[in-house]
Amino acid sequence: MDIEKNQLKPKQRFQSFRVWAKMLPYIKPYKGLMAILFTAMLADAAASVAYTLLAGYVVDRFVSPGIHQGIALFALGYLGLVLVKTLSQLILGSTAIRMEMYVGRDMKRDLFTHLQTLSFSYYNQTPVGTIVARALNDPGRIAESIPWMTVDGVYCSVYILACLGAMLVINWRLGLLVLSVVPFIAAFTYFFEKRILKVNRQVRKINAEITRHYNEGISGAKTSKTLAIEDKNLQSFQEVSGNMRRTSIRAVALDATYVPVVSFLTALAVSFVIAGGGHSAMLGGISIGELTIFVTFALQIADPVGALAYQATRFVSMQANIERVTELLELEPQIQDSPAVVEKYGTSMEPKRENWEPIQGDITFEDVTFQYPDGHENVLEHFNLQVPAGSTVAIVGETGAGKSTLVNLACRFFQPTGGRILIDGRDYRERSMLWLHSNIGYVLQTPHLFSGTVKENIRYGRLDATDEEIIAAAKLVNAHEFITRMEKGYDSDVGEGGGQLSTGEKQLVSFARAVLADPRIFVLDEATASIDTRTEALIQEAISTLLAGRTSFLIAHRLSTIRKADMILVVRDGKIIQRGAHEELMEQGGYYADLYNKQFETERTQAAFQQGG
């Protein structure tokens, strides 16, 4: 379950209009287009009704008495109605398409913007496929539905009401025969609405699972092949897709039942009109022209009623898509700046950089207690630590010991549940997150590169950097040599996720990016844990350059790389059990000394083996 997920109120049976009302902010900017849609729909419906009324008048006025004089004028009127209807439908189509594109664009833009504001914990616990399904698939379906459901829904409603009104005016008894089926249609709709909504919620949820499987299957293709687990992946996907098939069949079955039953009830009303109207015409209670109007309306009204029934099922099923999108849009970041901070320093999208104070990099943990949002016990309790500006703190421990907790707190990816963290003597919650994050350089063990060129990836460190500054940053971290060996040099494409580069090359590019940003605080998260010895030597040299005069945190795997750190924190089972410089910890003995000696012996054995080979 997502940490940052707002708890929704229990779903109510008739919540459709309340949920759809949340789409009004996306419709209001285009009220001019909606006005055009409504006008064109009214013109189209009016022309359709006028057709039938004109036909009935022509039967009584010209056909029955055998008069031809003046009929040409009504033929011209009929042609005018054809032109009105044709023009209305052209306007409807073009306007609805524009509306669909605009609403879809705005919704996807808002979702993308909102995703940038969510906290680290959301991405840490939510599968990428789930996010993609909500941010791309659902908005597309909603944007497509809004204009076209409006077109069909309003047109059919106006046409049906106009037909029924005309029937009641011409002959109220026959009109009531048609209306007699309305209560049955309403009762049937009431019965089906909840079932349609429930099964469509399941369909949207399973669709997100399918997107997740595709994402993991494609992004993890190499891993799957090396582990030879393609058959297991296929089995897992078949289970999800099979569930999707079964649930989709239930959804289609409900639609396939609802629409024909409504059409049957409408056809029943038509049969009442034909029987009752024919009998009335034989008795002279209704003219042939009026009977023509009634029969035509009764026959033509069946299609709009069926279409309206279909749009009713779409309206209910689309609620599931809207719920998923609005849940994400209404998701509150776990960590937010206070209104006072936003007022002074701006937001991450609209920062007020002119108010940002310079940062020195002095960090203080003051009586800090911390528990992860989904945890049940404190990871830190009344923890105190002073990190002077420009000093280096190394954090060591076995895999899974909790080495990243301190760094996540210092970077404000999480916040203390007790105590406070000071940056340059002030609680970091008194300044904006963007101010802090803009002054942090974070290099991961497996760095992420964006699709594009080497130059573009380095420039992400500072978007206004010149080509000369980019090259200087690459030279500073020993990345220039391998870049110039590439076919197009700095203009070489790195591939999706940096797939065209080795792990070490990606690491060097990420270091160049960090250097270009010139942050006051550096975090190196096991930056040399998965690279070859030669590249590690280059990176160690780059690290010495990077960290000079900057506050830095080193999450270390190889203890030999952090002996010069000003302070070493030893983490075990989520707790800090030792702290001090390398020499102090070795003199103390205990866990750090044992860990270091064991690793030292392993590295010496490996070196001897390589020399012997």
Side-chain angles (χ1 to χ4, degrees):
M1 183 174 180
D2 298 342
I3 289 176
E4 294 179 271
K5 191 164 188 176
N6 293 334
Q7 297 300 317
L8 299 178
K9 295 179 180 178
K11 301 292 189 296
Q12 302 297 320
R13 178 184 292 268
F14 295 111
Q15 202 180 10
S16 298
F17 291 106
R18 190 185 311 165
V19 173
W20 273 89
K22 295 180 180 180
M23 292 294 102
L24 289 178
Y26 294 100
I27 299 174
K28 283 182 179 179
Y30 308 108
K31 54 188 177 184
L33 291 179
M34 290 299 292
I36 293 173
L37 273 179
F38 273 90
T39 302
M41 283 184 287
L42 290 173
D44 191 5
S48 298
V49 173
Y51 273 157
T52 305
L53 294 176
L54 183 62
Y57 181 82
V58 168
V59 168
D60 282 344
R61 175 70 176 79
F62 298 103
V63 177
S64 292
I67 300 173
H68 301 287
Q69 186 177 2
I71 197 171
L73 181 63
F74 286 92
L76 288 175
Y78 185 85
L79 179 62
L81 290 175
V82 171
L83 291 174
V84 169
K85 192 170 180 64
T86 302
L87 182 61
S88 299
Q89 290 177 351
L90 288 173
I91 294 173
L92 276 175
S94 61
T95 306
I97 290 173
R98 290 172 62 193
M99 188 81 178
E100 177 185 342
M101 295 300 105
Y102 291 152
V103 171
R105 177 200 62 188
D106 294 350
M107 198 176 302
K108 290 175 182 176
R109 177 198 60 207
D110 286 354
L111 282 167
F112 185 85
T113 302
H114 184 65
L115 284 168
Q116 311 309 303
T117 69
L118 294 181
S119 304
F120 182 79
S121 57
Y122 176 75
Y123 294 98
N124 200 35
Q125 302 225 349
T126 308
V128 174
T130 300
I131 300 174
V132 170
R134 288 195 177 198
L136 291 181
N137 299 347
D138 291 326
R141 286 174 57 85
I142 295 168
E144 177 187 4
S145 298
I146 287 176
W148 296 108
M149 284 176 59
T150 302
V151 168
D152 290 344
V154 173
Y155 171 82
C156 294
S157 299
V158 170
Y159 183 78
I160 292 168
L161 290 174
C163 289
L164 292 174
M167 288 180 179
L168 290 171
V169 170
I170 293 171
N171 190 303
W172 63 271
R173 290 183 178 84
L174 289 178
L176 289 178
L177 277 177
V178 177
L179 287 174
S180 65
V181 302
V182 172
F184 297 98
I185 294 175
F188 196 69
T189 301
Y190 176 87
F191 177 78
F192 263 73
E193 183 189 61
K194 183 178 179 180
R195 290 160 179 79
I196 293 172
L197 178 57
K198 181 180 179 181
V199 74
N200 276 279
R201 282 177 179 152
Q202 294 173 347
V203 168
R204 302 320 311 156
K205 183 177 179 181
I206 299 170
N207 183 65
E209 280 292 298
I210 289 178
T211 305
R212 180 180 67 80
H213 275 73
Y214 266 115
N215 180 73
E216 292 179 353
I218 294 170
S219 61
K222 291 182 180 178
T223 303
S224 295
K225 289 182 180 299
T226 55
L227 296 174
I229 58 171
E230 293 94 336
D231 57 336
K232 292 182 175 60
N233 289 344
L234 178 60
Q235 181 182 357
S236 178
F237 182 79
Q238 285 177 332
E239 289 176 2
V240 177
S241 59
N243 194 13
M244 181 67 164
R245 176 182 60 82
R246 291 187 293 273
T247 308
S248 297
I249 288 175
R250 288 203 300 271
V252 172
L254 286 171
D255 289 349
T257 302
Y258 177 75
V259 175
V261 170
V262 171
S263 298
F264 167 75
L265 292 173
T266 307
L268 200 61
V270 171
S271 66
F272 291 162
V273 168
I274 293 175
H279 181 70
S280 181
M282 291 176 62
L283 297 177
I286 188 173
S287 69
I288 300 299
E290 290 172 340
L291 179 61
T292 301
I293 292 172
F294 258 92
V295 173
T296 303
F297 275 154
L299 290 172
Q300 289 181 346
I301 207 173
D303 285 339
V305 170
L308 198 60
Y310 172 69
Q311 294 305 330
T313 64
R314 284 188 68 192
F315 181 87
V316 175
S317 66
M318 197 56 56
Q319 180 177 339
N321 297 87
I322 296 176
E323 286 170 348
R324 288 166 53 80
V325 168
T326 53
E327 280 175 18
L328 181 53
L329 285 172
E330 293 170 359
L331 194 64
E332 293 290 339
Q334 184 193 19
I335 301 175
Q336 301 183 65
D337 289 325
S338 67
V341 170
V342 171
E343 177 66 25
K344 181 176 181 179
Y345 296 102
T347 65
S348 58
M349 298 301 168
E350 297 180 352
K352 298 179 181 178
R353 297 180 185 270
E354 65 276 8
N355 294 335
W356 289 8
E357 298 91 345
I359 183 171
Q360 300 302 315
D362 188 90
I363 302 175
T364 304
F365 287 75
E366 191 177 271
D367 196 35
V368 170
T369 297
F370 176 69
Q371 180 182 117
Y372 281 103
D374 58 343
H376 302 289
E377 62 179 31
N378 292 332
V379 178
L380 292 176
E381 288 185 347
H382 307 291
F383 175 74
N384 292 279
L385 176 67
Q386 175 67 42
V387 183
S391 60
T392 299
V393 175
I395 307 171
V396 302
E398 295 178 343
T399 302
K403 298 189 294 294
S404 298
T405 300
L406 279 175
V407 169
N408 288 336
L409 285 169
C411 294
R412 207 180 168 194
F413 296 146
F414 293 97
Q415 290 183 161
T417 49
R420 58 181 188 159
I421 296 175
L422 311 179
I423 304 289
D424 296 341
R426 283 181 60 185
D427 190 325
Y428 67 2
R429 286 172 287 202
E430 296 177 6
R431 293 181 174 131
S432 73
M433 282 186 289
L434 187 62
W435 168 83
L436 176 59
H437 294 163
S438 297
N439 285 287
I440 294 176
Y442 205 119
V443 181
L444 298 168
Q445 178 181 347
T446 53
H448 177 79
L449 297 187
F450 299 94
S451 297
T453 65
V454 174
K455 183 190 298 180
E456 289 168 344
N457 269 278
I458 297 176
R459 183 172 274 129
Y460 276 116
R462 197 176 80 247
L463 296 177
D464 61 351
T466 64
D467 289 354
E468 291 73 19
E469 289 173 323
I470 290 172
I471 294 172
K475 287 180 177 178
L476 199 61
V477 299
N478 299 316
H480 180 71
E481 182 181 347
F482 94 81
I483 294 173
T484 53
R485 287 200 306 266
M486 298 177 72
E487 183 179 354
K488 295 183 180 179
Y490 284 84
D491 292 318
S492 300
D493 193 85
V494 301
E496 185 176 359
Q500 299 296 325
L501 305 181
S502 69
T503 302
E505 289 169 342
K506 286 193 289 185
Q507 196 67 284
L508 289 172
V509 170
S510 71
F511 269 103
R513 184 166 60 196
V515 166
L516 193 64
D518 192 26
R520 298 307 307 159
I521 302 172
F522 253 110
V523 177
L524 304 183
D525 190 349
E526 302 199 50
T528 62
S530 56
I531 56 178
D532 59 85
T533 306
R534 180 180 178 278
T535 306
E536 181 185 5
L538 292 175
I539 289 178
Q540 286 299 336
E541 187 178 337
I543 288 175
S544 300
T545 304
L546 281 173
L547 304 188
R550 308 174 197 271
T551 305
S552 54
F553 291 89
L554 309 181
I555 299 177
H557 174 73
R558 295 190 179 105
L559 303 187
S560 57
T561 64
I562 49 90
R563 285 178 294 188
K564 296 180 180 180
D566 298 300
M567 179 181 295
I568 299 173
L569 302 177
V570 185
V571 181
R572 189 176 189 183
D573 298 328
K575 308 291 183 181
I576 296 172
I577 60 173
Q578 288 180 289
R579 68 169 75 184
H582 172 73
E583 292 77 10
E584 296 174 22
L585 293 175
M586 291 301 292
E587 288 177 7
Q588 289 177 13
Y591 183 73
Y592 177 81
D594 291 343
L595 195 64
Y596 182 85
N597 290 328
K598 178 196 268 186
Q599 197 173 100
F600 179 75
E601 286 297 326
T602 301
E603 291 177 359
R604 188 168 64 176
T605 302
Q606 289 175 346
F609 178 78
Q610 290 173 357
Q611 289 177 0

